[in-house]
Amino acid sequence: MSSMGLYEDRVKDFDWSISEQELEYGAGGMYNIAFYCTDRICQKGLGGKPAFIWEGFSGHVKQFTYDDIRVHSNAIAQFLQNQGLEPGDRVCLFMDRIPELYIGFVGVLKMGAIAQPLFSAFGEEALFTRLEDASTKAVITTRKHLGKVRRIRKDLPALATIIVVDAGEKSLEPGEVAFDMEGAARVEDFDIYKAGPETPSVLHYTSGTTGKPKGALHVHSSLIAQYLTAKWVLDMHPDDVYWCTADPGWVTGTSYGIIGPWANGVTQVVLDAGFSAQNWYSFAERMKVTVWYSAPTAIRLLMKEGMDPVQKHDLSTLRHLVSVGEPLNAEAVIWSEKAFGRPFHDSFWQTETGSIMISNYPGMRIKPGSMGKPFPGITATVVNPKTFEPVQTPGTVGLIAIKPGWPSMFRAYWNNEQIYNAKFKNGWYLSGDRASIDGDGYFWFVGRDDDVINTAGHLVGPFEIESALLEHPAVAESAAVGKPDPINMEVVKAFIALKPGYVADDDLTMDIMNFIRKKLSPLAMPQDIEFVPSLPKTRSGKIMRRVLRAQEWGEDIGDVSTLENE
Ligand code: ATP
Ligand code: MG
């Protein structure tokens, strides 16, 4: 290796064929993701290796080897076929984070259908819009969530079959069938659907942070990017115990909560229980987690609980920490070094991109607050919002733009060609986010295009304001939005959720204002602070600034089907 370092070396020589060769992708005409996540690992002699260790709400643990997930996914695939489902049909997975969700996802792909994972916490309305939009043919669910499906079923003419994985003895209604994954006979051989590289695989709805969720359609060859980014960015080694805290209802929970780890043949662990710092640390300790993929919302919650719970656990197995989903505040990186002796590595990508685009690569110098650099093979830049030409001067803020053609790029928005086409300008795919690039090539997130605040003609990103606020000891989380102002058009208003033990009063407001005044330019200074018990968030944990902004402007809130605290 040259003195340039691993990252630079890999960028220089990069070709996606590196991934195809490692996977032997396409050998024997096999392109189906499901094969590479199960059968191929078994063929390499790792059938007896734990693929999945699951812990439920009550502390109940289940373990599945690669051979187990192979035969169980075979059984699911065969069962779906027997129900008359066909390649290309949309099959929705609507379950808590139970083994059937993860293994079922692979089963759906095995028989060639398109997997449509949705958050089990969705209410009827959120479920309905997505099933209707996708003309979904079957839903796999559990008794706990069956009621929601039943109540909307009559208005979903395409929905032919409901599969209940924990039906038990109680009877089901017509059109519902029982499938007991662990009770079913092992299916040793299944003729895996011969998908091509461009055959649709997964239909993922976006988080709905900025508006009505869109169905991003992915294809089987997305694996080429998901496999290698998991290996290189999440730094997966054969002996790792990997924990992705994301629900598969969100793309992170499939690309890196199913496909990435299993195609890499690592052992992954899942905790299907509510969040608390104590629960999480104790799970990581018991499972001896080495690689941890989580999100800023969760990290901020851990920070809120402080060092006490950290010190009660032995977290020394943790080797690599990565974050995704929202901008990772510098404060969170610094805190993580204090708490775990390791920094969280930020990674940026989207439902549409299918895999990590920009990240703090292992071994690369981390600049806290920066998203890092593009993955080798990804051409990313920042373009001028009017000309769509790359900006020339380091530090100039513009739109994040990615050169189309990477393997896991979405191929369509379901039923929405117009919005799809609008995402491409001047030969670039636009993510809808604003950032700048510094002289060293590091990307710095500013805000979503829709969240940028225009105050007296100057654009201010919420991220710098929220990051400054987070450095104040009382602040657990915040959201900065524009509120109407007769002179400046908009001024900044900050909504703040406090850490336990702090009282929301005028003194605290003053104290916070004085604290951030030293860190922010006058234009970015909030004119108004409102303390709130919590911030509106999507199911994937993203702050929905548009809900707060709409309140300030007296506008219609729009689609809030993904709102967490409905
Ligand atoms: P919708 O498109 O429906 O409004 P969404 O954009 O939140 O929802 P996702 O695809 O889950 O849906 O999220 C992608 C977006 O999340 C990115 O465009 C970006 O705004 C934000 N994001 C993800 N990772 C990061 C990160 N590391 N830093 C900053 N922002 C991030
Ligand atoms: Mg988006």
Side-chain angles (χ1 to χ4, degrees), residues 372-546:
K373 297 187 183 189
F375 186 77
I378 297 298
T379 307
T381 190
V382 157
V383 298
N384 178 293
K386 294 206 176 74
T387 62
F388 305 110
E389 291 293 337
V391 300
Q392 295 303 325
T393 321
T396 311
V397 175
L399 304 174
I400 297 180
I402 306 161
K403 192 59 67 196
W406 70 95
S408 63
M409 190 178 101
F410 71 136
R411 301 300 198 264
Y413 282 132
W414 197 261
N415 282 339
N416 213 329
E417 206 181 329
Q418 208 184 344
I419 298 191
Y420 178 81
N421 291 336
K423 284 278 188 169
F424 298 87
K425 290 272 177 356
N426 194 26
W428 295 99
Y429 164 72
L430 301 179
S431 79
D433 298 291
R434 285 188 188 235
S436 66
I437 308 173
D438 71 14
D440 298 330
Y442 283 71
F443 282 63
W444 296 81
F445 189 79
V446 171
R448 290 166 183 272
D449 209 16
D450 301 10
D451 288 340
V452 169
I453 302 156
N454 186 346
T455 175
H458 295 269
L459 298 179
V460 178
F463 181 48
E464 61 165 322
I465 304 164
E466 293 162 12
S467 288
L469 286 164
L470 194 66
E471 289 177 40
H472 189 282
V475 176
E477 275 197 302
S478 70
V481 302
K483 73 166 207 177
D485 182 80
I487 297 161
N488 295 314
M489 207 161 101
E490 279 187 301
V491 290
V492 178
K493 172 166 182 181
F495 291 84
I496 295 178
L498 293 172
K499 284 188 188 154
Y502 287 92
V503 181
D505 59 16
D506 290 349
D507 286 349
L508 185 59
T509 305
M510 280 301 279
D511 192 64
I512 292 175
M513 288 283 199
N514 286 331
F515 178 83
I516 55 173
R517 207 180 305 279
K518 298 175 210 126
K519 301 173 185 289
L520 295 173
S521 70
L523 282 169
M525 267 303 288
Q527 302 299 305
D528 189 3
I529 282 179
E530 182 176 334
F531 294 110
V532 288
S534 65
L535 298 169
K537 288 195 189 135
T538 66
R539 292 279 165 200
S540 49
K542 293 157 187 275
I543 297 171
M544 290 168 91
R545 293 179 194 77
R546 69 178 163 100

Side-chain angles (χ1 to χ4, degrees), residues 260-480:
W262 283 351
N264 274 281
V266 306
T267 298
Q268 80 153 327
V269 296
V270 163
L271 175 64
D272 183 24
F275 176 89
S276 81
Q278 154 66 25
N279 276 353
W280 275 29
Y281 293 146
S282 118
F283 182 70
E285 178 177 21
R286 269 180 289 119
M287 295 292 165
K288 300 190 167 46
V289 172
T290 57
V291 178
W292 191 13
Y293 200 20
S294 198
T297 301
I299 299 164
R300 286 192 297 262
L301 279 171
L302 296 175
M303 289 167 74
K304 187 170 157 184
E305 302 288 318
M307 293 301 286
D308 264 14
V310 180
Q311 276 147 6
K312 292 205 178 85
H313 298 276
D314 175 5
L315 300 170
S316 58
T317 54
L318 289 175
R319 177 176 61 75
H320 190 54
L321 317 178
V322 191
S323 164
V324 65
E326 285 198 301
L328 183 66
N329 317 82
E331 186 67 10
V333 178
I334 293 160
W335 179 83
S336 131
E337 279 190 305
K338 238 184 347 205
F340 312 120
R342 323 206 159 256
F344 264 99
H345 293 65
D346 193 13
S347 70
F348 166 91
W349 58 291
Q350 306 181 294
T351 309
E352 291 87 341
T353 69
S355 68
I356 295 166
M357 294 286 106
I358 299 170
S359 75
N360 287 279
Y361 207 72
M364 194 167 104
R365 179 162 79 92
I366 291 186
K367 299 189 186 187
S370 160
M371 306 196 295
K373 297 187 183 189
F375 186 77
I378 297 298
T379 307
T381 190
V382 157
V383 298
N384 178 293
K386 294 206 176 74
T387 62
F388 305 110
E389 291 293 337
V391 300
Q392 295 303 325
T393 321
T396 311
V397 175
L399 304 174
I400 297 180
I402 306 161
K403 192 59 67 196
W406 70 95
S408 63
M409 190 178 101
F410 71 136
R411 301 300 198 264
Y413 282 132
W414 197 261
N415 282 339
N416 213 329
E417 206 181 329
Q418 208 184 344
I419 298 191
Y420 178 81
N421 291 336
K423 284 278 188 169
F424 298 87
K425 290 272 177 356
N426 194 26
W428 295 99
Y429 164 72
L430 301 179
S431 79
D433 298 291
R434 285 188 188 235
S436 66
I437 308 173
D438 71 14
D440 298 330
Y442 283 71
F443 282 63
W444 296 81
F445 189 79
V446 171
R448 290 166 183 272
D449 209 16
D450 301 10
D451 288 340
V452 169
I453 302 156
N454 186 346
T455 175
H458 295 269
L459 298 179
V460 178
F463 181 48
E464 61 165 322
I465 304 164
E466 293 162 12
S467 288
L469 286 164
L470 194 66
E471 289 177 40
H472 189 282
V475 176
E477 275 197 302
S478 70

